[in-house]
């Protein structure tokens, strides 16, 4: 019997047992669709979080006081900032900024809100990718030098305090002192280290004078955070080492004492996130694996349920002259056709589900070749094994044993 | 002289747990080309077991079975399948048709395994079905046919390959007397054309159609009418 005869026989058999064929295919479809939908949404979620982190910039490094080792004092000062920002100190450092933050009462007209108020140096905005404005201007060097009473506000602050009013040029009161609103930032949505949309920014010097008068152990005006932009992603590690060396020297820390500051680089964050996303992918993979297993068990059941009838069929075919090879080829082709058609339908169904669900979850689902290969490969594998195994067993029986099978 | 079939001391035992069932306990039998043999005997005496061995559907536990002088135990499974396909037609008591398959396809199947083209097999299958009186039922599936019609499909399937042996295991067992008689006419006709027929039955009227009667009991042949027949070749048989 040649291949095309075997193929036609397989198709014949599939279409004369429509219910059995449909049920088997359903198992494949469910397994494949579930895996594709789950994994592609999972991949989409992972990619969108990674994107968000990377948009902050992986070469951003933040330095803050380690209070356990600083004797309760704020360890960082503007002179630290100056040294770190000196091009001669480190070629791995591109730019530096400082900030001091706290919660303050902010009033405009009859509105009164408790908000984060951050005193910042002018380079805070470019370093944090926050240079986009809805209106007005940022805080610039002269504002910081003169200790100007100006404020740049986040978009949520603007709408909460001013409603439909235009904020630029208006005056808000922070802790009883008036500031002129000079700029409104665009919505940022970044959620790391406080929400910029809900923050009021004023010049660092102004903040130090009026809101945050803390001093370091040596009596200098303190800052709560120093932001360092590494010259490149590759130099981020170098920059971290340089910062440590420079600050230890600045603070007069001897070799056997601990740092009185903490350095967090975006690379650390990414590494942490990598662990989370790997866990997420593994979890989704496990869920997908379970759905494949369930689909696989469905395929297996329907194949095994029909084994009695099919064993007798094999007995009849052998009695009238089918070779073992003919039987195996027929059953193999039946399983291949079911797996392929079911697999294809599963891909389409899974794709539709992932697009629809992705729409609800506000995630762009990502279907990649490995997901499809995994899903179809597994379902086809299960279909083949349970499609062929009973046939393999039955075809090795003597014809009369197969005919008598109950 | 060489016989078509030669069975020497054939035994068949089945192991049922700790118990061993001896279905055949040493059968010696020769059958020649063109014979029409009936095998009778009480239920459980080993008739079907014997027929399955003759038809290469099963293998004996012991003993030698030669078909055309060739020892079957030296043949591979595939060679035995070839013999079943090209030389032997089977008719079973339970019809053994494929479910949900049209008569035409059922009857073409042996020809497909023989490697004939689709066109040729369908022509020959249609001719075989016409020959058993089902020329107008080609597209009917088993559940759309009566018992007698299903058995005719089975007979058509057995003779479509133009075998020289037809083995029938109680072919009329599941049918009423009239339908049974009609089937017997077909078998008589086939034998007249030179096909060797071996038929198991427990009905004396059915056995009458054969020219040679064999009686089997407890796995051994206890009576064979051939000894008498050989001496009086032209004698018409009368029921015992
Ligand atoms: N597959 C089998 N397993 C166990 N015992 C069997 C099997 N087939 C037949 N037998 C036993 O062998 C004996 C002969 O069976 P069989 O040839 O079918 O008898 P008959 O056809 O004359 O009624 C019976 O006792 C039966 O129970
Ligand atoms: Mg029997």
């Amino acid at each position: 019997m040649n291949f095309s005869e075997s193929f036609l026989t397989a198709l014949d058999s599939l279409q004369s047992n429509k219910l059995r064929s449909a049920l088997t295919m359903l198992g494949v479809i469910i397994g494949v669709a579930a895996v594709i939908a789950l994994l592609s949404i999972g991949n989409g979620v992972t990619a969108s979080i990674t994107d968000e982190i990377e948009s902050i910039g992986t070469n951003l490094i933040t330095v803050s006081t380690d209070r356990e080792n600083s004797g309760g004092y704020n360890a960082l000062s503007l002179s630290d900032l100056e040294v770190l920002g000196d091009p001669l100190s480190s070629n791995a450092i591109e730019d530096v900024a400082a900030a001091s933050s706290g919660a303050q009462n902010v009033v405009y007209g009859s509105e009164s809100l408790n908000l984060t108020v951050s005193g910042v140096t002018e380079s805070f905005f470019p370093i944090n990718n926050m240079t986009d404005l809805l209106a007005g201007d940022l805080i610039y060097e002269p504002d910081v030098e003169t200790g100007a009473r100006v404020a740049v506000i986040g978009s949520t602050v603007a709408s909460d305090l001013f409603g439909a009013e235009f904020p630029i040029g208006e005056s808000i009161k922070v802790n009883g002192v008036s500031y002129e609103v000079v700029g409104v930032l665009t919505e940022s949505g970044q959620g790391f280290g406080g929400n910029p949309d809900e923050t009021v920014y004023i010049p660092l010097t102004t903040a130090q004078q009026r809101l945050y008068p803390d001093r370091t152990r040596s009596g200098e005006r303190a800052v709560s955070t120093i932001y360092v932009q590494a010259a490149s992603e590759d130099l981020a590690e170098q920059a971290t080492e340089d910062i440590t060396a420079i600050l230890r020297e600045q603070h007069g820390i001897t070799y056997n004492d601990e740092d009185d500051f903490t350095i967090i680089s975006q690379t650390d964050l990414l590494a942490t996130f990598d662990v989370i996303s790997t866990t997420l992918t593994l979890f989704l993979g496990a869920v997908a694996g379970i759905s494949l297993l369930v689909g696989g068990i469905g395929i297996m059941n329907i194949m095994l349920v029909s084994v009695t009838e099919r064993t007798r069929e094999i007995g009849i075919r052998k009695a009238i002259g089918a070779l073992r090879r003919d039987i195996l080829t027929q059953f193999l082709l039946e399983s291949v056709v079911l797996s392929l058609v079911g697999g294809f339908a599963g891909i389409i169904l899974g794709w539709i589900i992932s697009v629809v669900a992705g729409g609800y979850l506000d995630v762009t689902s990502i279907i990649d070749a490995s997901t499809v290969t995994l899903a179809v490969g597994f379902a086809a594998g299960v279909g083949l094994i349970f499609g062929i195994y009973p046939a393999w067993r039955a075809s090795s029986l003597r014809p009369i044993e197969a005919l008598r099978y109950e | 002289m060489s016989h078509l079939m030669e069975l020497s001391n054939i035994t068949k035992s089945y192991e049922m747990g700790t118990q061993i069932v001896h279905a055949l306990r040493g059968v010696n039998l020769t059958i020649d080309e063109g014979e029409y043999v009936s095998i009778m005997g009480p239920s459980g005496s080993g008739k079907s077991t014997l027929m399955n061995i003759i038809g290469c559907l099963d293998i004996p536990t012991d003993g030698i079975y030669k078909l055309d002088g060739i020892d079957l135990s030296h043949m591979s499974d595939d060679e035995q399948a070839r013999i079943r396909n090209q030389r032997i037609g089977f008719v079973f008591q339970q019809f053994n048709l494929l479910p949900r398959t049209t008569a035409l396809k059922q009857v073409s199947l042996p020809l497909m395994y023989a490697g004939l083209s689709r066109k040729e097999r369908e022509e020959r299958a249609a001719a075989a079905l016409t020959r058993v009186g089902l020329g107008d039922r080609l597209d009917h599936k088993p559940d759309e046919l009566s018992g007698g019609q299903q058995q005719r499909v089975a007979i058509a399937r057995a003779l479509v390959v133009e075998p020289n042996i037809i083995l029938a295991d109680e072919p009329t067992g599941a049918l009423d007397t009239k339908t049974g008689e009609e089937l017997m006419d077909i078998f008589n006709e086939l034998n007249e054309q030179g096909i060797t027929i071996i038929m198991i039955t427990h009905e004396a009227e059915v056995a009458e159609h054969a020219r040679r009667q064999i009686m089997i009991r407890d796995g051994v042949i206890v009576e064979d009418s051939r000894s008498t027949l050989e001496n009086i070749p032209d004698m018409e048989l009368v029921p015992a």
Side-chain angles (χ1 to χ4, degrees):
Chain A
M1 216 163 93
N2 62 27
F3 180 80
S4 68
E5 286 291 359
S6 303
F7 190 66
L8 288 173
T9 307
L11 287 189
D12 229 26
S13 169
L14 288 178
Q15 74 102 34
S16 58
N17 293 282
K18 292 192 186 68
L19 183 63
R20 187 176 70 208
S21 307
L23 288 174
T24 313
M25 220 183 287
L26 194 64
V28 179
I29 292 173
I30 290 172
V32 171
V35 172
I36 288 184
L38 283 168
L39 286 187
S40 59
I41 290 171
N43 287 339
V45 170
T46 308
S48 82
I49 298 179
T50 311
D51 264 8
E52 211 155 278
I53 289 190
E54 278 172 355
S55 76
I56 301 170
T58 49
N59 35 11
L60 182 64
I61 298 164
T62 56
V63 186
S64 52
T65 299
D66 184 339
R67 291 206 177 264
E68 261 178 50
N69 298 322
S70 68
Y73 285 93
N74 232 325
L76 303 172
S77 69
L78 278 175
S79 56
D80 291 337
L81 185 74
E82 216 163 286
V83 178
L84 288 172
D86 185 342
L88 297 175
S89 307
S90 163
N91 61 355
I93 295 173
E94 169 97 16
D95 199 3
V96 292
S100 283
S101 305
Q104 300 292 341
N105 193 248
V106 181
V107 179
Y108 173 72
S110 58
E111 293 289 338
S112 168
L113 295 172
N114 205 38
L115 295 170
T116 303
V117 176
S118 289
V120 296
T121 58
E122 67 283 357
S123 40
F124 173 88
F125 297 101
I127 283 186
N128 284 289
N129 286 334
M130 286 166 56
T131 49
D132 290 341
L133 289 158
L134 278 179
D137 282 311
L138 292 170
I139 292 168
Y140 297 113
E141 204 177 340
D143 301 321
V144 179
E145 267 166 17
T146 60
R149 282 187 283 128
V150 293
V152 170
I153 59 178
S155 58
T156 311
V157 177
S159 56
D160 286 357
L161 281 183
F162 294 94
E165 258 182 90
F166 189 64
I168 307 295
E170 297 297 326
S171 184
I172 56 173
K173 278 198 165 129
V174 178
N175 202 20
V177 178
S178 306
Y179 293 79
E180 184 191 345
V181 176
V182 293
V184 180
L185 296 167
T186 52
E187 195 179 326
S188 124
Q190 289 167 4
F192 297 98
N195 186 350
D197 297 338
E198 294 171 4
T199 304
V200 174
Y201 297 94
I202 59 176
L204 177 65
T205 44
T206 320
Q208 285 176 330
Q209 280 164 26
R210 307 199 174 263
L211 301 172
Y212 312 121
D214 311 24
R215 304 219 170 224
T216 62
R217 194 198 285 270
S218 57
E220 287 182 85
R221 295 242 189 227
V223 298
S224 48
T225 311
I226 291 178
Y227 298 87
V228 177
Q229 179 164 25
S232 73
E233 214 176 309
D234 294 337
L235 285 174
E237 206 157 311
Q238 177 68 45
T240 306
E241 278 167 27
D242 291 352
I243 294 164
T244 308
I246 292 166
L247 290 182
R248 284 179 72 91
E249 200 192 319
Q250 278 284 110
H251 298 176
I253 298 169
T254 50
Y255 74 97
N256 53 356
D257 280 335
E258 303 274 344
D259 297 346
D260 56 1
F261 51 90
T262 313
I263 301 177
I264 298 170
S265 69
Q266 213 67 34
T267 330
D268 294 337
L269 257 186
L270 262 189
T272 311
F273 173 71
D274 261 358
V275 174
I276 296 170
S277 85
T278 308
T279 312
L280 183 70
T281 308
L282 281 179
F283 169 75
L284 285 166
V287 173
I290 290 168
S291 57
L292 271 184
L293 195 67
V294 171
I297 288 172
I299 300 170
M300 181 180 84
N301 274 353
I302 191 73
M303 293 290 197
L304 293 183
V305 162
S306 67
V307 104
T308 308
E309 183 183 281
R310 303 226 74 181
T311 302
R312 289 183 58 85
E313 176 192 332
I314 288 170
I316 294 170
R317 287 179 184 273
K318 286 194 77 169
I320 60 175
L323 305 182
R324 190 162 186 214
R325 192 174 58 236
D326 297 331
I327 304 282
L328 290 178
T329 314
Q330 179 199 331
F331 276 70
L332 175 75
L333 289 173
E334 280 186 33
S335 305
V336 167
V337 169
L338 284 181
S339 302
L340 287 185
V341 176
F344 189 70
I347 292 173
I348 293 178
L349 183 65
W351 176 71
I352 292 173
I353 292 173
S354 75
V355 168
V356 171
Y360 279 110
L361 298 172
D362 205 14
V363 171
T364 312
S365 62
I366 297 172
I367 299 184
D368 57 16
S370 65
T371 306
V372 172
T373 314
L374 172 78
V376 175
F378 186 89
V382 172
L384 287 184
I385 290 168
F386 291 104
I388 296 166
Y389 173 69
W392 175 83
R393 215 178 40 181
S395 68
S396 65
L397 296 174
R398 305 241 81 219
I400 196 67
E401 292 168 325
L403 280 173
R404 285 231 182 92
Y405 188 87
E406 250 140 48
Chain B
M1 144 185 187
S2 166
H3 300 286
L4 174 64
M5 295 167 186
E6 193 173 343
L7 288 77
S8 321
N9 215 16
I10 294 285
T11 65
K12 180 76 185 178
S13 321
Y14 297 104
E15 254 178 77
M16 302 281 286
T18 56
Q19 210 180 334
I20 295 180
V21 180
H22 298 284
L24 295 177
R25 303 163 183 269
V27 171
N28 292 291
L29 176 67
T30 57
I31 293 173
D32 291 324
E33 190 90 47
E35 278 202 85
Y36 190 164
V37 184
S38 74
I39 299 176
M40 294 194 31
S43 176
S45 55
K47 305 183 295 292
S48 297
T49 305
L50 178 60
M51 198 198 86
N52 294 333
I53 289 172
I54 290 175
C56 299
L57 294 173
D58 207 353
I59 44 169
T61 308
D62 208 355
I64 293 171
Y65 170 34
K66 286 182 182 170
L67 186 67
D68 277 334
I70 301 166
D71 187 347
L72 265 128
S73 56
H74 293 319
M75 283 192 192
S76 70
D77 279 2
D78 282 0
E79 283 170 320
Q80 294 191 25
R82 280 274 158 269
I83 288 177
R84 289 194 298 269
N85 182 238
Q86 284 162 14
R87 304 205 41 200
I88 306 177
F90 294 95
V91 181
F92 300 95
Q93 181 175 0
Q94 320 81 338
F95 317 142
N96 277 339
L97 298 176
L98 291 184
R100 296 178 287 279
T101 306
T102 64
L104 190 68
K105 276 193 182 134
Q106 309 261 12
V107 178
S108 334
L109 268 186
L111 300 176
M112 178 179 83
Y113 291 121
L116 270 63
S117 74
R118 176 162 289 245
K119 185 169 173 292
E120 194 176 347
R121 350 193 254 260
E122 290 192 347
E123 277 169 17
R124 278 176 62 175
L129 282 163
T130 309
R131 187 165 167 194
V132 296
L134 289 178
D136 54 348
R137 295 281 191 280
L138 302 185
D139 293 326
H140 287 236
K141 294 171 184 169
D143 58 2
E144 298 159 355
L145 295 168
S146 72
Q149 288 170 327
Q150 289 184 54
Q151 195 61 300
R152 281 163 195 257
V153 173
I155 294 174
R157 185 179 66 188
L159 59 84
V160 74
V161 293
E162 291 169 2
N164 48 8
I165 303 163
I166 284 184
L167 301 178
D169 190 350
E170 307 206 24
T172 60
L175 306 174
D176 61 67
T177 322
K178 183 167 168 296
T179 318
E181 281 299 321
E182 284 168 14
L183 288 186
M184 292 323 297
D185 291 342
I186 299 176
F187 282 117
N188 293 342
E189 206 180 299
L190 291 171
N191 180 243
E192 274 157 29
Q193 289 160 10
I195 298 176
T196 309
I197 294 179
I198 302 170
M199 181 162 58
I200 292 173
T201 181
H202 55 261
E203 294 166 78
E205 312 88 76
V206 173
E208 251 172 57
H209 292 273
R211 294 171 198 274
R212 175 181 174 190
Q213 279 86 14
I214 290 171
M215 190 65 112
I216 189 169
R217 187 167 288 136
D218 284 336
V220 286
I221 292 176
V222 292
E223 229 180 287
D224 185 344
S225 66
R226 175 143 128 181
S227 40
T228 30
L229 262 171
E230 270 167 354
N231 298 336
I232 319 157
D234 286 328
M235 194 186 120
E236 250 326 286
L237 267 165
V238 282

